Amino acid sequence: MASDSPESLMTLCTDYCLRNLEGTLCYLLDNETLRLHPDIFLPSEICDKLVNEYVELVKTDSIFEPHESFFTLFSDPRSTRLARIHLREQIVQDQDLEAIRKQDLVELYLTNCEKLTAKSLQTLVSFSHTLISLSLFGCCNIFYEEENPGGCEDDCLVNPTRQVLVKDFTFEGFSRLRFLNLGRLIEGVNVETLLRPLASLAALDLSGIQLNDVGFLTQWKDSLVSLVLYNMDLSEEHIQVIAQLHKLRHLDISRDHLSSYYKFKLTRRVLNLFVENLVNLTSLDISGHTMLENCTIPSMEEKMGQTSIEPAKSSIAPFRGLKRPLQFLGLFETSLCRLTHIPAYKVSGDKNEEQVLNAIEAYTEHRPEITSRAINLLFDIARIERCSQLLRALQLVITALKCHKDDKNIQVTGSAALFYLTNSEYRMEQSVKLRRQVIQVVLNGMESYQEVTVQRNCCLTLCNFSIPEELEFQYRRVNELLLNILNQSRQDESIQRIAVHLCNALVCQVDNDHKEAVGKMGFVMTMLKLIQKKLADKTCDQVMEFSWSALWNITDETPDNCEMFLNYSGMKLFLECLKEFPEKQELHRNMLGLLGNVAEVKELRPQLMTSQFISVFSNLLESKADGIEVSYNACGVLSHIMFDGPEAWGICEPHREEVVKRMWAAIQSWDINSRRNINYRSFEPILRLLPQGISPVSQHWATWALYNLVSVYPDKYCPLLIKEGGIPLLKDMIKMASARQETKEMARKVIEHCSNFKEENMDTSR
């Protein structure tokens, strides 16, 4: 299960080595094949961890690059020792098992390894003398081999992949094998013949296999302690055989009641038979079964007294014969789980949160069809009530999503549950590590599924995190996934809205390196395409406004992104939006904020020097939209253009002096105490307008901006101005003959504000 405790040094080292094999344990032979350094010897504790963690990384980390020759590192037991390994799904192929055939494996779990064929059966024989525990769960092709493997007749050309079932393989020679899982074994394999050579099986899993006769199980009646017959259609004969397995401690005859019709119905007599004959039973799972007759005690008696797990008080009558409470009782999707007195320490069911979590825990690995329904119940609990076992719930859902990355139902229900389990109500209970695990499985879901519900759930869940701070460790990946969503030709409106919001948040308040990297991914082009589409639809909605806001953020102090905006016809879209949506104040503010960033780049300002653009900026000086914001930003754009001097004014209309006059009038109309809808990370673009005499109006705009910000938000902006060396620049400007008197007066007030702030916040403690 996903853990909330700090990673061990062993885990950290293993992860580092796997991500840097060439720099640590290995070298590349002929630039392609990994080889272990000759002076290395690794014991099984380390080798097992390397293999198992490698499988986990390949499955759950899209950035991790698998190595074709990885398993060959463990081909020689003289330098590497393997004992217990767990391999899953498409990661392992016949040649991988073949590579480690000389190892003395004690435990080998192969789960849903659909690429394994009958070649791997022969490899298994190599481990027969040491293997104690073996799982072939879901390895549906391992009993198939290619027809005519040694040659090819004419019909091979017609059907080159024809496969035939291997029927002569048995576990002959597997003398130490005690634990065996054959779940979902392919139909046609004779299970009895396959298993007969095994002398003393202790645990057997035959999930999903239909056997009319299980009499052969009695050959292990003195050794079998665990038997799983999930989804096997039972009969009276099956029950009689099971009752003879008197050493059983764990019995699972549960079923998925939605998968198909089952003739068998549980009765009071069957449960009595189990209780009377299987006296060592500590775990029983009868989930999904329909009770043919009433197994409960009378209703009045059932509701009496405090809830008890004592068998004598059991609400399920047959279980009153138990000598002690069961450790586990599976009652998921049965009416029995809702009873008051259930004689078990742990119960899976749908009555309450505890039962639902027990169900997820018990069924996640091998029963995704049940797990998805259990997670759906958890979703309802988290949505409607308060989840009391938050940590456990989160860890279980994370584990299920990791384990079943390609199962659509689990991805849908799991991502929906995560949305409610990570909201602000629960944040204080969650560690950084746990929240990072959530982010990783959410991104896995977004990567694996283009399906609308999964994408929406994942995007909504990401909104529960502090952005960009909590997503920075996966910054590139999350941006790529969101841009991929926004670049799809057909888009769900709600997903588009959330994705643009997330993109905007991700490029706000991050360093310039991050912004440049995201710009290179196509961020600017993607936003402009969204704007173009909304323009074509004559729609100004949140997507339109968020797109301009995102462009404003990503161009902040990032010249390359500003240039991309111009190169991709951004100014054309700006003019069209201004014309199409003249009353949209928020839109105007975002667009002018972006153009302020463009105007800060000296090399790009000539592209803004057209009669059309300058006229538009001049007219917006008189805008009252969004308080002073649109007028302020328009004046900022013009201040940077004016800073280039009269010789750069390459247009006849409007005249430079006329625009300067309108700028002075605009600045004098603003309230110095205006609260602002703006966020400066640096004053550098403003401060560069101070030490110059070529454009007094630009100097005045910059000084007004500083005065407003240190007056209204002193705690934030006084320290920033002091840190960035603004005070000496203001003092020098006051001495300049070219500076206007009102500008100098304003500069003195800025210096005074900062001086007072320093005194008030001076640390006088000794």
Side-chain angles (χ1 to χ4, degrees), residues 595-646:
L595 293 179
N597 292 337
V598 176
E600 288 171 7
V601 185
K602 182 176 176 61
E603 296 76 17
L604 300 180
R605 285 199 285 270
Q607 295 189 54
L608 302 180
M609 184 53 71
T610 71
S611 293
Q612 185 182 27
F613 293 157
I614 298 297
S615 296
V616 168
F617 299 145
S618 301
N619 292 335
L620 287 171
L621 287 169
E622 291 154 24
S623 170
K624 297 292 183 276
D626 201 15
I628 68 165
E629 296 302 334
V630 172
S631 177
Y632 171 87
N633 284 327
C635 199
V637 172
L638 290 167
S639 293
H640 287 286
I641 291 171
M642 294 294 175
F643 178 54
D644 290 335

Side-chain angles (χ1 to χ4, degrees), residues 287-305:
S287 297
H289 275 282
T290 304
M291 304 304 297
L292 191 59
E293 56 188 349
N294 189 8
C295 288
T296 62
I297 60 170
S299 177
M300 288 294 292
E301 185 183 348
E302 203 266 329
K303 289 173 178 156
M304 286 173 59

Side-chain angles (χ1 to χ4, degrees), residues 646-663:
E647 64 277 8
W649 197 266
I651 55 173
C652 298
E653 292 289 337
H655 293 298
R656 188 172 189 272
E657 294 72 22
E658 178 193 331
V659 175
V660 168
K661 187 177 176 183
R662 293 178 75 174
M663 288 170 69

